[in-house]
Amino acid sequence: MTEIHAIDPEIAGMPRGGWDASWLDRRLQTDELEYLDRDDVSDEVKQKVVTMLDRMGELTHQHDTFARVALDLVSDIPDPRILELGAGHGKLSAKILELHPTATVTVSDVNPNSVANIAGGPLGSHPRARIQVVDATDIDSQDDTYDLVVFALAFHHLPPLIASRAIAEATRVGTRFLVVDLRRLSPVELALTPLQMVSVNLVFQPLSSLWPCVHDGFISALRAYSISALTTLGQAADPDMSVTVLPKPAGYGPPVNAVVFSRQP
Ligand SMILES: C[S@@+](CC[C@H](N)C(=O)[O-])C[C@H]1O[C@@H](n2cnc3c(N)ncnc32)[C@H](O)[C@@H]1O
């Protein structure tokens, strides 16, 4: 049985850039929620953001890149069992199944409408896919059910205390927990982000999706965790947690970090 440690409540006050964040970095963060996380926002708006993420992942090949990063971590396991949290559109899981002939994937999200959309698509009838609603902070699975748990472009949705709990949960149900998430940008990069987002979205998205996508994109950038913060969150979940920063996934798309959390055997 995995031992669950009490998480120091002080972690709730950790800046997104970590305890060592600069004065300016501490000001460039927000508690404002993305539309994806708000109960008062219609699912129509949320699905515009999810569709944009899917399109962006296809165009930049990030679904493929992230799937390869995930599969590299289970290359020594013949029939890996993988849980994807916060799957949104499910394309990362679809790529994993396409690239690996025997992997099984549980594709999940906390949003039941996204889960229903995934279940209504090709993954719904895939013999190696299971689709279900899962909250990353309270995973309804036995210890060690999975060889790998993956959370892509979503970890920044969780505030520090909850994020630390999610690391504890994912490393309870899985041997390894791969977080691929937005890199925390420098102040200058952040200042340029809205302009970049508007131009990219104007080219690839219908005009009606522009505001939700730019809104959620900019808030995501302000909420992204630094490597120092991710390491602290892992150690708050378990002082012996191993935190490995992988080489930056190559390719196009928003810059990301890939970090693997695992407990000592
Ligand atoms: C920015 S989207 C990323 C979607 C997809 N993983 C991708 O890479 O494009 C964030 C996703 O995380 C989900 N999410 C937010 N909080 C969550 C939680 N506590 N547990 C599971 N999923 C969560 C949202 O519903 C949303 O689908």
Side-chain angles (χ1 to χ4, degrees):
M1 180 97 175
T2 306
E3 192 188 343
I4 298 295
H5 293 260
I7 297 172
D8 181 352
E10 258 198 39
I11 196 83
M14 184 188 70
R16 296 281 173 149
W19 291 118
D20 54 350
S22 68
W23 177 88
L24 185 54
D25 189 284
R26 286 167 190 247
R27 266 135 202 90
L28 295 171
Q29 62 177 37
T30 183
D31 290 331
E32 189 75 29
L33 294 180
E34 292 171 49
Y35 287 151
L36 280 178
D37 294 327
R38 281 172 47 175
D39 294 337
D40 63 331
V41 170
S42 71
D43 202 60
E44 189 196 347
V45 169
K46 294 181 184 180
Q47 293 308 324
K48 283 181 180 171
V49 179
V50 172
T51 303
M52 174 277 288
L53 289 162
D54 181 12
R55 226 176 257 171
M56 217 54 102
E58 289 292 345
L59 285 166
T60 60
H61 303 289
Q62 275 195 331
H63 301 324
D64 185 87
T65 306
F66 297 170
R68 289 175 195 277
V69 172
L71 285 173
D72 245 18
L73 293 171
V74 288
S75 58
D76 54 334
I77 299 168
D79 307 318
R81 303 157 304 164
I82 299 173
L83 166 65
E84 184 186 2
L85 300 167
H89 38 70
K91 294 297 171 55
L92 167 56
S93 286
K95 264 289 166 201
I96 288 176
L97 291 169
E98 183 187 316
L99 292 170
H100 197 295
T102 60
T104 50
V105 178
T106 300
V107 194
S108 74
D109 200 283
V110 77
N111 180 336
N113 294 312
S114 294
V115 170
N117 292 341
I118 295 170
L123 281 176
S125 54
H126 196 292
R128 290 183 283 121
R130 204 162 49 136
I131 295 144
Q132 62 188 61
V133 173
V134 176
D135 181 344
T137 63
D138 185 15
I139 305 175
D140 185 13
S141 296
Q142 302 283 319
D143 293 6
D144 303 318
T145 303
Y146 299 101
D147 300 301
L148 181 68
V149 179
V150 188
F151 204 19
L153 303 184
F155 195 69
H156 61 271
H157 285 257
L158 312 178
L161 186 61
I162 292 175
S164 196
R165 195 172 302 142
I167 296 172
E169 270 296 84
T171 53
R172 176 184 68 76
V173 303
T175 312
R176 287 173 180 171
F177 179 34
L178 168 64
V179 169
V180 183
D181 204 4
L182 299 171
R183 176 166 67 75
R184 188 155 181 83
L185 300 175
S186 69
V188 174
E189 288 171 312
L190 256 180
L192 296 172
T193 298
L195 193 66
Q196 232 174 4
M197 280 177 183
V198 170
S199 34
V200 171
N201 276 284
L202 273 177
V203 175
F204 297 114
Q205 293 283 109
L207 201 55
S208 64
S209 296
L210 181 66
W211 173 246
C213 294
V214 171
H215 174 274
D216 274 23
F218 191 54
I219 288 182
S220 301
L222 291 170
R223 291 173 68 99
Y225 287 109
S226 68
I227 292 292
S228 146
L230 290 166
T231 306
T232 303
L233 291 172
Q235 283 160 357
D238 181 339
D240 294 327
M241 184 74 67
S242 148
V243 184
T244 307
V245 181
L246 300 181
K248 298 220 180 311
Y252 304 106
V256 293
N257 286 315
V259 174
V260 181
F261 299 92
S262 58
R263 291 177 193 265
Q264 303 301 328

